Amino acid sequence: MQTPAPVTGDQALVKNINRIAMLRLLREHAGISRAGLSERSGLTRSTVSLLIKELIDEGWLVESDAFVTGTVGRRPTPLRLVGKNMVLLGVDLGPDVIQVVATSIDGEILESSQAALRSKDPDEACHQLVEMATALSAKMTRGGSRLLGIGVGLHGPVDKRSGMLEFAPNIGWRHVEIGRRFGAELARAGLADVPVYYHNEADLAAVGETEFCERPVDDPLVYVSCGVGVGAGIILNHALFTGATGSAGEIGHTTLVIDGQPCSCGRLGCAEAYIGLKAIAAAAGCFQDDAIDRRALRARMSARDPATRSAFARAGAVLGVLLQNAWTTFNPQVIVLGGETVTLGGDTLLDAATEVLAQYAQRAGLTPPVVKAARYSDLATAVGGAAYVLHAILNPHQQALQSQYVATPASA
């Protein structure tokens, strides 16, 4: 990683920039020494030493045993980023279920909880979300941990100019000022000072795949979220690509069949109408009264029921077409598949998708990108929310939905 030249100006600002430079270098070069940090950052050794002492005192870093170099003189001491007693909170506000996780700064899941969504009313849903996040936060802080922030995944595009959730068809929301609702609930819960970020759920899952992984990071990377809805998060040049307003990656609403099956968005022939979990459950006979019988789907897949496996295989073949389109559009190194459809469909879904993708590649005489399942399975969005908190801390220069969107405790 190339670090920018030192910046002069306000002393506190410069110090914060230099702290972030240290943390980012330690993410990329685990075990680097103070001398190595000085060399890579361009900062003096005395400045580096002062910053490292501060970061160690705060619990960000630990020192390991000194390197044995075979040369005379003081041995370099490796430094590791550990985030002692620091916790990140991530939330997935899904159409049917809310998931909350607490993670360490290296992506270890410390605690998790989930509950059925009690109401699809925005105020009630936000109240339940903050209630669950507060309970998990209290459990972690009672153990001595410090909460660094909360990241919330929403199943629809968020306008990055206003912070408004534009459209979430599977939960029935349109033009919802979600941040103001979060602000009101967090203030009542005593968490008004905690940084809170919210983004499209697939975007956060993509961040989780790149923040909580071994270096170097796969880039570009496309994360395809497969659940009740279908979407994508795109990592390009170590940053989220969100488009002009924040709705990039809505591949579930790209048209695969002209005048095809109706979609939740109102269009015809969208990918979601064929790959979405509702469509699969209906084809498997596990969808009644506008509800997915997940228990039956899981049981039938475990029993290798032919009709249920066939439903997932057909959806996988359509998914393969969608992956081909994502490949030719973004040319990623890796495509990651996650969400509950992938968990439920397993190899039946994945094999069908990768086989179709391979057929397209063979016809074109090209090598397709690597396709793999999400590291955190159907917790990918919630873990991605936690990862986004760390991402925002380490990349404050990148455009992000910062906590100013949720700080006003006013009702919408």
Side-chain angles (χ1 to χ4, degrees):
M1 180 184 71
Q2 184 175 2
T3 303
V7 178
T8 58
D10 177 80
Q11 188 173 0
L13 173 63
V14 172
K15 180 181 179 181
N16 190 49
I17 291 171
N18 291 338
R19 276 172 55 98
I20 291 168
M22 295 296 100
L23 293 172
R24 292 178 64 190
L25 282 167
L26 282 154
R27 294 282 326 270
E28 300 298 323
H29 306 282
I32 193 171
S33 66
R34 290 171 176 78
L37 288 169
S38 176
E39 181 181 348
R40 288 182 177 273
S41 67
L43 299 172
T44 65
R45 293 198 179 193
S46 59
T47 298
V48 168
S49 293
L50 288 172
L51 291 170
I52 294 305
K53 182 182 185 307
E54 185 176 282
L55 291 169
I56 289 174
D57 290 344
E58 292 176 12
W60 282 100
L61 313 179
V62 295
E63 295 180 292
S64 302
D65 293 335
F67 290 123
V68 178
T69 62
T71 59
V72 177
R74 184 176 179 180
R75 296 172 178 175
T77 303
L79 298 161
R80 291 190 300 111
L81 191 62
V82 294
K84 183 181 179 183
N85 295 330
M86 296 179 184
V87 66
L88 311 164
L89 228 60
V91 183
D92 181 0
L93 175 53
D96 303 308
V97 173
I98 297 177
Q99 296 175 321
V100 184
V101 301
T103 79
S104 66
I105 67 166
D106 61 1
E108 178 189 358
I109 296 176
L110 306 173
E111 292 280 351
S112 66
S113 66
Q114 74 171 43
L117 185 65
R118 295 194 296 255
S119 170
K120 293 191 176 183
D121 174 77
D123 290 322
E124 291 296 324
C126 289
H127 176 76
Q128 183 183 358
L129 183 156
V130 172
E131 187 178 68
M132 292 176 65
T134 302
L136 190 54
S137 170
K139 183 175 182 179
M140 300 307 298
T141 53
R142 279 197 300 270
S145 295
R146 175 162 62 96
L147 180 60
L148 297 182
I150 305 172
V152 181
L154 303 169
H155 288 241
V158 177
D159 190 324
K160 65 184 181 183
R161 301 164 302 185
S162 65
M164 181 179 291
L165 178 66
E166 290 295 301
F167 185 34
N170 288 304
I171 199 171
W173 293 359
R174 186 185 290 271
H175 305 308
V176 175
E177 292 180 295
I178 198 79
R180 299 177 70 184
R181 288 172 167 84
F182 283 157
E185 291 293 338
L186 288 163
R188 283 193 284 268
L191 295 175
D193 295 332
V194 175
V196 179
Y197 311 88
Y198 55 102
H199 249 300
N200 171 266
E201 49 91 20
D203 287 344
L204 294 189
V207 170
E209 289 291 327
T210 52
E211 281 295 332
F212 293 154
C213 72
E214 294 182 2
R215 272 40 191 169
V217 172
D218 294 319
D219 190 348
L221 176 144
V222 173
Y223 176 93
V224 180
S225 174
C226 303
V228 174
V230 178
I234 303 142
I235 301 294
L236 181 63
N237 297 327
H238 304 287
L240 268 174
F241 174 73
T242 57
T245 64
S247 61
E250 288 295 309
I251 62 174
H253 299 296
T254 56
T255 303
L256 291 189
V257 180
I258 296 174
D259 295 328
Q261 294 294 320
C263 181
S264 63
C265 69
R267 303 181 183 95
L268 298 177
C270 292
E272 183 184 299
Y274 300 88
I275 305 169
L277 192 57
K278 284 183 179 180
I280 297 171
C286 298
F287 185 72
Q288 290 183 336
D289 301 324
D290 201 34
I292 299 168
D293 190 340
R294 290 171 170 83
R295 181 177 296 177
L297 271 177
R298 191 173 295 107
R300 292 183 185 187
M301 284 300 288
S302 296
R304 303 184 67 81
D305 173 63
T308 307
R309 285 166 58 84
S310 178
F312 275 103
R314 288 195 301 272
V318 178
L319 176 59
V321 177
L322 190 64
L323 298 186
Q324 136 74 19
N325 294 341
W327 169 31
T328 56
T329 302
F330 299 109
N331 189 28
Q333 283 193 30
V334 171
I335 297 176
V336 180
L337 302 179
E340 61 176 334
T341 301
V342 176
T343 303
L344 288 167
D347 290 341
T348 301
L349 180 89
L350 294 174
D351 289 349
T354 53
E355 182 179 345
V356 169
L357 180 62
Q359 289 171 359
Y360 279 112
Q362 185 178 26
R363 289 170 189 152
L366 299 171
T367 302
V370 173
V371 178
K372 61 184 180 181
R375 181 176 289 105
Y376 293 96
S377 189
D378 50 1
L379 284 176
T381 292
V383 174
Y388 192 82
V389 175
L390 183 63
H391 179 79
I393 291 171
L394 299 181
N395 300 276
H397 61 287
Q398 291 183 5
Q399 279 194 323
L401 293 176
Q402 304 292 343
S403 54
Q404 66 260 28
Y405 287 123
V406 299
T408 305
S411 60

